[in-house]
């Protein structure tokens, strides 16, 4: 007897052997068959979907759950367009923190809306002895007041309280770690937001270290949720590369650096596992720190790498030698050159044909770099909603010659590169359907077309959030398509993305999301 049978549905399986079905059978969280294989079988529960469209659950291959939840509970200057208004938000937040010397964390900071960066002196006027930390919306910069600057080593660079990239990391290290229970609550909140958008699995892009680690024991927060039965969706965790340390392993193992006990990609189960090793090579376009080969349009600087190129190369090679899948953050084309060179050297030293290394973001990729992605077997994990919401700004700072190279679609696919969709939530909107719409239309919210030749089909865009996401996260044997034997993770939509006008895809209703064969959340009933 089946646990559940879904019937009277338009099921887009993403499986070429059985692309469309109307019935789907579930037993103990797995798909056991489609159509005539299950139609006549008895089931404890039969759900009539009344013609709704069903897809494999979306996979967000690059997200920040803890940051998303913490940001949602923090004061924010998002939407402020005047310096005075932003300072008023800071002053109000400070007034609610009674303890002198306490930290006041404020999110949503973006200098573009204000026309310039805030300064430490301005924050001093409204901080009353508290330590103020304004987190840039990109995650690659912050602004702090003098109470924080006074705690920093003299060699940490800043500009009137603005700290970027590794300098920002020095500020984060001053703060006490978040408690596991606080992190668990934030992660659960963010996970439920994901479920409401049809996401059933995600890759948490950096824990325990790096720019966005929240605790040296951060993995424990996810285990706490799992133990309490509160983990809303499947999560793969990417440790930050700075959690690696020299190991005294046997010389034949060839592992110069690693995590304790040799822990690496693949440890865990269907609900919680260790994924790729996250390595930062540069910054971001929003903060103007993505490393480019030519200056930003109308500016003189070319962004920055996170460290000395040889040290970054050594880190990438050591991660490869230790058996990790690597998720290398590279937004600018200069950073991509470094990543490609290092990965090529690593594969030559120790070939690993199925390493499935990933380039996170791949925000500006020159035409000559595309064949190298293909030869190295890399996945490009892009964030389409960056251009949907920030595209006007990004196209301006890249200029007309480079703008078509941003967050490519067609260019990657035509070169045989696995194209993977993701959000980088909470940097921008996490909706897969709105991202799919952009991948097809290549239009920002203002209507500006950005690299229209990089547009792809709806089927290809859906594949980026299902089949390709499962491949990039090494879940392809159990997720990504609605095939017998795979997990019964799926999303029910109010319309078929392939049949509506592309301009409507982002507005399609997510009716329900199923994880492990059970309804995890539901929208308006059909």
């Amino acid at each position: 007897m089946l646990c559940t049978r879904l019937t009277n549905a338009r099921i887009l399986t993403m499986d070429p052997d059985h692309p469309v079905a109307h019935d789907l059978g579930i037993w103990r969280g797995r798909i056991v068959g489609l159509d005539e294989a299950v139609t006549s079988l008895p089931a404890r529960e039969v759900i009539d979907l009344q013609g709704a469209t069903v897809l494999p659950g979306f996979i967000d291959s690059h997200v920040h759950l803890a940051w998303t939840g913490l940001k949602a509970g923090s004061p924010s200057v998002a939407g402020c367009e005047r310096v005075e208004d932003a300072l008023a938000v800071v002053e109000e937040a400070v007034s609610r923190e009674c303890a002198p010397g306490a930290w006041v964390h404020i999110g949503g900071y973006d200098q573009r809306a204000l026309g310039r960066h805030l300064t430490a002196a301005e924050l001093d006027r409204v901080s009353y002895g508290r330590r103020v930390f304004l987190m840039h919306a990109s995650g690659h910069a912050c602004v702090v007041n003098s109470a924080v600057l006074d705690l920093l080593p003299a060699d940490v660079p800043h500009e009137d309280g603005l700290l970027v990239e590794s300098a920002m990391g020095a500020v984060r290290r001053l703060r006490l770690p978040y408690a596991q229970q606080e992190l668990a609550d934030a992660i659960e909140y963010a996970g439920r937001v994901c479920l409401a958008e049809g996401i059933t699995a995600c890759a948490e892009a950096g824990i325990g270290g790096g720019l966005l680690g929240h605790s040296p024991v951060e993995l424990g927060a996810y285990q706490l949720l799992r133990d309490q039965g509160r983990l809303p969706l499947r999560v793969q965790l990417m440790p930050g590369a700075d959690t690696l340390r020299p190991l005294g392993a046997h010389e034949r193992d060839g592992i110069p650096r690693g995590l304790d006990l040799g822990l690496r990609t693949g440890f865990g189960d269907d609900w919680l596992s260790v994924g790729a090793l996250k390595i930062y090579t540069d910054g971001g376009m929003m903060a103007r720190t993505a490393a480019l080969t030519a200056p930003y349009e109308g500016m003189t600087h070319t962004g920055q790498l996170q460290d000395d190129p040889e040290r970054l190369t050594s880190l990438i090679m050591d991660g490869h030698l230790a058996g990790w899948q690597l998720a290398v953050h590279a937004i600018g084309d200069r950073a991509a050159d470094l990543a490609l060179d290092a990965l090529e050297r690593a594969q030559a030293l120790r070939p690993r044909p199925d390493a499935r290394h990933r380039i996170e973001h791949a925000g500006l990729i020159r035409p000559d770099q595309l064949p190298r992605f293909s030869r190295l077997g890399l996945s490009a994990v892009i964030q389409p909603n960056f251009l949907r919401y920030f595209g006007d700004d990004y196209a301006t700072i890249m200029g007309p010659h480079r703008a078509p190279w941003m967050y490519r679609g067609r260019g990657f696919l035509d070169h045989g590169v696995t194209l993977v969709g993701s959000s980088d939530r909470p940097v921008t909107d996490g909706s897969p359907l709105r991202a799919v719409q952009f991948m097809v239309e290549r239009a920002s919210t203002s209507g500006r077309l950005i690299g229209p030749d990089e547009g792809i089909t709806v089927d290809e865009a859906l594949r980026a959030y299902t089949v390709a996401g499962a491949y990039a996260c090494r879940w392809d044997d159990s997720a990504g398509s609605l095939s017998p034997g795979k997990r019964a993770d799926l999303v029910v939509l109010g319309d078929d993305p392939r049949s509506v006008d592309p301009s409507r895809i982002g507005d399609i209703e997510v009716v329900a999301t199923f994880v492990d064969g059970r309804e995890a959340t539901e929208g308006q009933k059909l």
Side-chain angles (χ1 to χ4, degrees), residues 211-232:
L211 294 177
L212 297 174
H214 295 94
S215 167
V217 292
E218 192 166 356
L219 190 149
Y222 292 86
Q223 289 186 290
L224 181 62
L225 279 177
R226 178 74 188 278
D227 292 344
Q228 295 174 347
R230 296 168 51 208
L231 190 62

Side-chain angles (χ1 to χ4, degrees), residues 24-325:
L24 181 147
I26 300 169
W27 184 70
R28 293 188 177 181
R30 295 275 171 168
I31 298 166
V32 295
L34 301 164
D35 290 341
E36 61 275 3
V38 298
T39 300
S40 61
L41 296 179
R44 294 191 184 95
E45 180 183 32
V46 177
I47 300 176
D48 185 345
L49 291 176
Q50 301 180 36
T53 297
V54 175
L55 278 161
F58 296 128
I59 297 171
D60 190 334
S61 299
H62 185 119
V63 68
H64 301 282
L65 296 177
W67 180 17
T68 297
L70 292 170
K71 182 179 179 180
S74 300
S76 175
V77 295
C80 293
E81 297 181 353
R82 300 190 312 151
V83 168
E84 295 79 5
D85 294 338
L87 291 175
V89 171
V90 175
E91 187 168 24
E92 170 63 23
V94 166
S95 71
R96 295 198 295 270
E97 181 53 67
C98 298
W103 285 86
V104 179
H105 189 289
I106 297 168
Y109 175 68
D110 187 344
Q111 84 286 356
R112 298 173 303 173
L114 300 173
R116 65 170 176 83
H117 281 291
L118 297 177
T119 68
E122 289 171 329
L123 294 179
D124 289 345
R125 296 203 305 265
V126 296
S127 53
Y128 308 111
R130 277 63 170 183
R131 298 167 184 169
V132 175
F133 178 94
L134 268 73
M135 180 72 157
H136 196 277
S138 69
H140 287 271
C142 67
V143 178
V144 300
N145 63 347
S146 296
V148 176
L149 294 177
D150 291 344
L151 301 174
L152 290 170
D155 60 349
V156 175
H158 73 90
E159 184 176 343
D160 295 330
L162 170 68
L163 299 100
V164 301
E165 307 305 342
S166 58
M168 183 193 77
V171 177
R172 291 178 66 88
R173 286 191 291 274
L174 291 174
R175 303 191 61 193
L176 291 175
Y178 288 90
Q180 284 189 351
Q181 187 62 62
E182 185 177 7
L183 290 174
D185 293 343
I187 293 161
E188 181 183 24
Y189 168 86
R192 297 203 176 281
V193 173
C194 290
L195 284 176
E197 295 175 341
I199 299 164
T200 56
C202 66
E204 169 68 58
I207 66 164
L211 294 177
L212 297 174
H214 295 94
S215 167
V217 292
E218 192 166 356
L219 190 149
Y222 292 86
Q223 289 186 290
L224 181 62
L225 279 177
R226 178 74 188 278
D227 292 344
Q228 295 174 347
R230 296 168 51 208
L231 190 62
L233 73 172
R234 305 182 196 276
V235 182
Q236 187 178 85
L237 303 172
M238 297 184 195
D242 52 355
T243 60
L244 298 187
R245 64 181 186 84
L247 295 177
H250 194 283
E251 60 181 14
R252 287 205 301 268
D253 293 335
I255 301 176
R257 280 187 280 183
L259 295 188
D260 287 342
L261 303 179
L263 191 72
R264 60 174 173 82
T265 304
F267 184 81
D269 59 23
D270 278 353
W271 278 94
L272 185 62
S273 60
V274 175
L277 183 72
K278 176 72 175 294
I279 300 176
Y280 287 93
T281 65
D282 70 342
M285 289 186 188
M286 192 188 303
R288 311 319 196 216
T289 54
L292 311 179
T293 52
Y296 288 88
E297 191 79 1
M299 305 178 195
T300 58
H301 69 282
T302 58
Q304 65 186 75
L305 296 173
Q306 291 284 352
D307 201 344
D308 175 79
E310 279 305 312
R311 283 197 289 269
L312 291 171
T313 297
S314 175
L315 185 56
I316 290 170
M317 295 184 67
D318 284 356
H320 174 87
L321 292 174
W324 285 92
Q325 179 188 21

Side-chain angles (χ1 to χ4, degrees), residues 232-514:
L233 73 172
R234 305 182 196 276
V235 182
Q236 187 178 85
L237 303 172
M238 297 184 195
D242 52 355
T243 60
L244 298 187
R245 64 181 186 84
L247 295 177
H250 194 283
E251 60 181 14
R252 287 205 301 268
D253 293 335
I255 301 176
R257 280 187 280 183
L259 295 188
D260 287 342
L261 303 179
L263 191 72
R264 60 174 173 82
T265 304
F267 184 81
D269 59 23
D270 278 353
W271 278 94
L272 185 62
S273 60
V274 175
L277 183 72
K278 176 72 175 294
I279 300 176
Y280 287 93
T281 65
D282 70 342
M285 289 186 188
M286 192 188 303
R288 311 319 196 216
T289 54
L292 311 179
T293 52
Y296 288 88
E297 191 79 1
M299 305 178 195
T300 58
H301 69 282
T302 58
Q304 65 186 75
L305 296 173
Q306 291 284 352
D307 201 344
D308 175 79
E310 279 305 312
R311 283 197 289 269
L312 291 171
T313 297
S314 175
L315 185 56
I316 290 170
M317 295 184 67
D318 284 356
H320 174 87
L321 292 174
W324 285 92
Q325 179 188 21
L326 303 180
V328 184
H329 168 116
I331 292 184
D333 60 332
R334 177 158 57 103
D337 279 335
L338 184 149
L340 292 167
D341 290 345
L343 289 167
E344 191 168 53
R345 287 175 59 183
Q347 287 283 17
L349 186 62
R350 181 176 295 174
R352 289 175 51 206
D354 195 37
R356 302 197 195 183
H357 296 323
R358 312 158 34 143
I359 300 296
E360 307 300 298
H361 308 296
L364 185 74
I365 300 300
R366 302 187 310 269
D368 64 285
Q369 293 172 318
L370 292 170
R372 298 190 69 193
F373 269 76
S374 180
R375 286 197 303 271
L376 289 167
L378 302 176
S379 297
V381 184
I382 66 167
Q383 295 74 42
N385 277 336
F386 276 16
L387 292 189
R388 177 177 171 85
Y389 293 97
F390 309 142
D392 293 359
D393 174 59
Y394 285 11
T396 298
I397 61 172
M398 288 300 110
H401 178 65
R402 291 179 294 184
W405 303 346
M406 293 192 298
Y407 297 93
R408 291 176 178 270
R410 176 56 54 202
F412 283 126
L413 291 179
D414 284 353
H415 282 80
V417 176
T418 300
L419 180 68
V420 183
S422 69
S423 70
D424 205 14
R425 184 196 306 267
V427 177
T428 191
D429 180 11
S431 165
L433 287 172
R434 285 190 280 275
V436 165
Q437 179 177 324
F438 175 83
M439 295 171 85
V440 175
E441 295 185 317
R442 298 289 299 191
S444 72
T445 53
S446 74
R448 179 175 180 173
L449 293 180
I450 303 168
D453 290 344
E454 291 293 326
I456 61 178
T457 68
V458 175
D459 277 329
E460 290 168 333
L462 291 173
R463 183 180 178 86
Y465 276 91
T466 53
V467 176
Y471 175 85
C473 294
R474 308 187 74 89
W475 283 326
D476 45 316
D477 62 340
S478 60
S481 65
L482 299 177
S483 308
K486 291 195 174 183
R487 302 189 300 234
D489 297 350
L490 52 94
V491 57
V492 181
L493 302 178
D495 217 329
D496 183 347
R498 304 186 308 179
S499 64
V500 303
D501 187 274
S503 65
R504 291 184 50 217
I505 293 174
D507 294 325
I508 292 175
E509 178 191 5
V510 175
V511 177
T513 305
F514 286 71

